[in-house]
Amino acid sequence: MARSRTIIIAGAGIGGLTAALALTQQGFRVVVLEAARELTAVGAGIQLSPNATRVLEALDVSPRLAPFAVAPSGVNVRAARSGRLVTHIGFDRKDAPYWSVHRGDLQRALLETAADNEDIVLRLGVSVADHAQHVHGVTVAATVTCRTVRIMTEESGIALVVADGLWSAVRGSLGHLIKPKSTRRMAWRATIPAAQVDPAWRKAAVTLWLGSNAHLVHYPVRGGDVINVVAIVEDAKGRDPKAGGSWSMPGDATVLQARFATWAPAARDLIAAAPGWQCWPLYDLPPLPTWGRGVATLLGDAAHATLPFLAQGGALAIEDAAELAVQLARHRDDLAGGMRAYEAARQPRTARAVREAARNGRIYHLPGPLGFARNRVMAGLGGERLKKRYDWLYDWRVSREQ
Ligand SMILES: Cc1cc2nc3c(=O)[nH]c(=O)nc-3n(C[C@H](O)[C@H](O)[C@H](O)COP(=O)(O)OP(=O)(O)OC[C@H]3O[C@@H](n4cnc5c(N)ncnc54)[C@H](O)[C@@H]3O)c2cc1C
């Protein structure tokens, strides 16, 4: 592989794989170094709003994903205790779909598209630890684990994209020793075969139940065969505190059922139908004053992890990837300048999304009379006006098209 065009990406998550596709589309070659020895589908469902699906379409990922995607008509907001429909916020956008998909289907579509691209090399089981910049670009230091032996290895390229997620190990080599902060909130997630739930929940729609200090979201994925359910609660009980940040830690269903005992029967029935739950404690990443240095930069959750209350973390990583590729292509002879242009384009928007997600979290969980008042206000505003509040998010386009 010719070194002069090769960009190294640390992390093969949604952000890293999308960046690989976007950069090769601009004529770069890419080596993706991924710590996991095998890429398994962690987590369950993910909503992909038009700002993300527009990018996936441009990168030719959509044809591989479309057969497994569901296109929800919108969000049905419901009151937790009464089950009453508060409002419906439509997703109808003309030029790009709103999709709900299984993360495994998204990951497979990205990996298959990457596998067809001879300018992308994916190395699994390679954990990036550090990097050094020099006159030719960057050299990253990584460890490869072979059975029980760990071997140090190096990889060189013209630039480095750090897409290793919320708990980024490489962020430190860019001067950020900051650690994510616990929010004391817990996301519980489950998937249920669609045949086992009330037919009302099989419809192509996202349902959002708002309750006191908790909310519940569910939508169909896998072409409608499976219902993805996420319950978010303010307290971090029910999960083994020693479990770390893995998606695959089991949660105690009885704790969750007790937490939702006063909710409408339809919500409780759905929770009871789940064959098992996994728990994920939610963390905040304080805003970073800078994302990069020289020919290295952060991307996705490593740069701006966002709480899931706007369903945008993955979408923002996808946007980052598209913008980075365009800026580096514009600055082929000054990649450091391209990195700074990418950061300048992305920082205000991602910071706004992080703020809005945190705000949604507060609003979604308003207790007692405040929650009742919130539902009245939402119903009064109506779906059409609420929909317009998302225009700034969903209408995004990469710089060249703006
Ligand atoms: C409950 C919940 C629901 C969500 N729902 C949505 C949603 O509906 N829509 C949406 O857009 N977003 C959603 N998100 C957010 C979304 O999941 C994340 O924002 C997204 O996965 C971030 O992608 P990423 O590629 O930046 O990081 P990750 O997906 O974390 O990928 C990082 C990759 O880097 C690898 N890695 C780590 N360290 C190293 C290293 N040292 N060297 C090499 N590789 C390394 C990891 O193994 C991993 O593969 C949700 C999040 C949660 C918690």
Side-chain angles (χ1 to χ4, degrees), residues 80-278:
R81 281 185 181 234
S82 66
R84 190 174 51 83
L85 182 70
V86 175
T87 191
H88 170 85
I89 307 169
F91 282 153
D92 47 309
R93 306 259 150 186
K94 302 275 177 294
D95 68 318
Y98 195 110
W99 277 345
S100 58
V101 301
H102 194 282
R103 283 168 192 263
D105 293 331
L106 174 60
Q107 188 182 62
R108 189 182 30 70
L110 290 167
L111 281 170
E112 284 178 7
T113 315
D116 279 354
N117 186 329
E118 59 186 23
D119 279 334
I120 298 177
V121 172
L122 172 61
R123 300 213 169 113
L124 297 178
V126 183
S127 183
V128 178
D130 202 353
H131 86 284
Q133 299 193 25
H134 43 73
V135 68
H136 301 299
V138 293
T139 299
V140 304
T143 53
V144 185
T145 307
C146 284
R147 299 198 179 146
T148 53
V149 185
R150 294 179 86 203
I151 303 163
M152 285 304 293
T153 183
E154 284 187 354
E155 189 79 49
S156 294
I158 53 173
L160 171 66
V161 180
V162 178
D164 58 348
L166 170 69
W167 295 99
S168 174
V170 192
R171 197 163 49 213
S173 74
L174 288 168
H176 298 301
L177 299 173
I178 205 155
K179 288 271 177 271
K181 282 194 314 199
S182 168
T183 64
R184 308 278 312 143
R185 287 173 175 145
M186 181 80 89
W188 296 63
R189 62 113 193 159
T191 50
I192 311 175
Q196 292 175 19
V197 307
D198 187 307
W201 311 137
R202 297 181 211 159
K203 290 188 182 147
V206 175
T207 306
L208 169 65
W209 301 75
L210 300 180
S212 231
N213 297 316
H215 75 278
L216 179 71
V217 185
H218 52 90
Y219 47 83
V221 295
R222 293 245 140 113
D225 291 345
V226 169
I227 308 301
N228 179 65
V229 189
V230 183
I232 297 190
V233 295
E234 285 288 330
D235 45 61
K237 292 187 190 127
R239 182 180 194 276
D240 181 349
K242 297 187 290 299
S246 164
W247 262 109
S248 54
M249 290 299 137
D252 179 349
T254 59
V255 173
L256 191 67
Q257 283 165 8
R259 182 69 185 70
F260 284 76
T262 57
W263 284 43
R268 282 190 276 130
D269 288 350
L270 188 72
I271 287 171
W277 291 91
Q278 262 94 44

Side-chain angles (χ1 to χ4, degrees), residues 11 13-15 33-35 46-47 103 128 163-164 280 301 311-315:
I14 297 172
L33 304 177
E34 164 58 48
I46 184 165
Q47 299 175 60
R103 283 168 192 263
V128 178
D164 58 348
W280 180 269
D301 273 11
Q312 282 296 311

